[in-house]
Amino acid sequence: LWDASGDNRYEACWKAIMVDTDAVVLVYNPDAPAQDKQLTDWFDFFVKKNGLRDEQCLIFANRPNPTSDRIRPPPLFTRIASMVSTAANGAESKNMFENFVKEVSNLRQNRK
Protein backbone atom coordinates (compact mmCIF):
# COMPACT_ATOMS: atom_id res chain seq x y z
CA LEU A 1 0.00 0.00 0.00
CA TRP A 2 1.57 3.27 -1.17
CA ASP A 3 0.50 6.87 -0.86
CA ALA A 4 1.92 8.24 -4.09
CA SER A 5 0.76 11.79 -3.41
CA GLY A 6 -0.74 13.82 -6.18
CA ASP A 7 2.08 16.32 -5.83
CA ASN A 8 4.05 16.42 -9.08
CA ARG A 9 7.34 16.67 -7.19
CA TYR A 10 6.91 12.95 -6.38
CA GLU A 11 6.07 11.95 -9.94
CA ALA A 12 9.57 10.51 -10.44
CA CYS A 13 8.67 7.80 -7.88
CA TRP A 14 5.35 6.83 -9.44
CA LYS A 15 6.78 4.39 -11.98
CA ALA A 16 8.51 2.36 -9.26
CA ILE A 17 5.43 2.42 -7.05
CA MET A 18 3.11 1.04 -9.71
CA VAL A 19 5.15 -2.13 -10.36
CA ASP A 20 2.94 -5.17 -9.61
CA THR A 21 0.03 -2.95 -8.57
CA ASP A 22 -3.18 -4.85 -7.84
CA ALA A 23 -5.43 -1.83 -7.35
CA VAL A 24 -5.53 1.94 -7.11
CA VAL A 25 -7.45 4.28 -4.82
CA LEU A 26 -7.57 7.82 -6.17
CA VAL A 27 -8.50 10.64 -3.80
CA TYR A 28 -9.25 14.14 -5.01
CA ASN A 29 -11.10 17.27 -3.97
CA PRO A 30 -14.13 17.92 -6.20
CA ASP A 31 -14.31 21.47 -4.84
CA ALA A 32 -11.05 22.22 -6.66
CA PRO A 33 -11.93 22.14 -10.40
CA ALA A 34 -8.26 21.86 -11.41
CA GLN A 35 -8.20 18.44 -9.77
CA ASP A 36 -10.50 17.04 -12.47
CA LYS A 37 -7.51 17.14 -14.83
CA GLN A 38 -5.22 15.72 -12.17
CA LEU A 39 -7.67 12.88 -11.52
CA THR A 40 -7.67 12.09 -15.23
CA ASP A 41 -3.86 12.16 -15.32
CA TRP A 42 -3.59 9.90 -12.26
CA PHE A 43 -6.13 7.49 -13.74
CA ASP A 44 -4.26 7.34 -17.04
CA PHE A 45 -0.92 6.75 -15.32
CA PHE A 46 -1.84 4.39 -12.49
CA VAL A 47 -4.82 2.52 -13.93
CA LYS A 48 -4.73 2.56 -17.73
CA LYS A 49 -0.95 2.44 -18.12
CA ASN A 50 -0.80 -0.43 -15.64
CA GLY A 51 -3.54 -2.40 -17.43
CA LEU A 52 -5.87 -2.43 -14.44
CA ARG A 53 -9.60 -3.01 -14.88
CA ASP A 54 -12.31 -0.66 -13.65
CA GLU A 55 -13.05 -2.86 -10.63
CA GLN A 56 -9.44 -2.44 -9.55
CA CYS A 57 -9.95 1.29 -9.05
CA LEU A 58 -11.81 3.22 -6.37
CA ILE A 59 -12.27 6.99 -6.32
CA PHE A 60 -12.90 9.02 -3.19
CA ALA A 61 -14.10 12.58 -3.71
CA ASN A 62 -12.80 14.00 -0.45
CA ARG A 63 -14.70 17.07 0.71
CA PRO A 64 -13.16 18.30 3.95
CA ASN A 65 -14.83 21.73 3.64
CA PRO A 66 -17.57 21.51 1.01
CA THR A 67 -17.76 24.77 -0.91
CA SER A 68 -19.70 23.78 -3.98
CA ASP A 69 -22.38 21.44 -5.29
CA ARG A 70 -19.85 19.34 -7.23
CA ILE A 71 -20.01 15.94 -5.60
CA ARG A 72 -19.18 13.35 -8.24
CA PRO A 73 -16.10 12.61 -10.31
CA PRO A 74 -16.11 13.89 -13.90
CA PRO A 75 -18.33 11.92 -16.35
CA LEU A 76 -15.32 9.95 -17.63
CA PHE A 77 -15.34 8.03 -14.35
CA THR A 78 -18.99 6.94 -14.15
CA ARG A 79 -17.98 3.29 -14.55
CA ILE A 80 -15.56 3.44 -11.60
CA ALA A 81 -16.72 2.85 -8.02
CA SER A 82 -16.69 6.19 -6.26
CA MET A 83 -17.84 7.84 -3.10
CA VAL A 84 -18.00 11.32 -1.66
CA SER A 85 -16.01 11.23 1.55
CA THR A 86 -16.70 13.73 4.32
CA ALA A 87 -16.15 13.86 8.06
CA ALA A 88 -19.83 12.98 8.48
CA ASN A 89 -19.67 9.68 6.59
CA GLY A 90 -16.31 8.34 7.74
CA ALA A 91 -17.72 4.93 8.72
CA GLU A 92 -19.35 4.50 5.32
CA SER A 93 -16.09 5.46 3.58
CA LYS A 94 -14.19 2.98 5.75
CA ASN A 95 -16.65 0.20 4.85
CA MET A 96 -16.39 0.97 1.15
CA PHE A 97 -12.59 0.87 1.35
CA GLU A 98 -12.61 -2.40 3.30
CA ASN A 99 -14.96 -4.01 0.75
CA PHE A 100 -12.76 -2.78 -2.08
CA VAL A 101 -9.66 -4.33 -0.47
CA LYS A 102 -11.53 -7.63 -0.03
CA GLU A 103 -12.61 -7.64 -3.69
CA VAL A 104 -9.09 -6.88 -4.87
CA SER A 105 -7.73 -9.61 -2.63
CA ASN A 106 -10.19 -12.08 -4.16
CA LEU A 107 -9.19 -10.99 -7.67
CA ARG A 108 -5.55 -11.56 -6.74
CA GLN A 109 -6.27 -15.02 -5.32
CA ASN A 110 -8.20 -15.99 -8.45
CA ARG A 111 -5.24 -15.04 -10.64
CA LYS A 112 -2.96 -17.54 -8.90
Side-chain angles (χ1 to χ4, degrees), residues 4-70:
S5 174
D7 192 323
N8 287 346
R9 67 182 168 165
Y10 300 110
E11 191 170 350
C13 302
W14 293 355
K15 189 172 182 178
I17 289 171
M18 78 176 207
V19 172
D20 295 329
T21 300
D22 291 311
V24 173
V25 177
L26 300 172
V27 180
Y28 82 110
N29 181 353
D31 295 326
Q35 287 205 353
D36 286 359
K37 167 99 172 74
Q38 288 179 313
L39 180 64
T40 301
D41 292 344
W42 299 331
F43 183 82
D44 289 345
F45 188 85
F46 287 104
V47 179
K48 280 187 176 178
K49 192 172 185 178
N50 210 23
L52 298 178
R53 298 186 310 253
D54 292 347
E55 60 267 20
Q56 291 171 280
C57 183
L58 174 62
I59 299 173
F60 280 108
N62 186 35
R63 300 187 77 205
N65 299 305
T67 59
S68 76
D69 293 333
R70 300 180 75 233

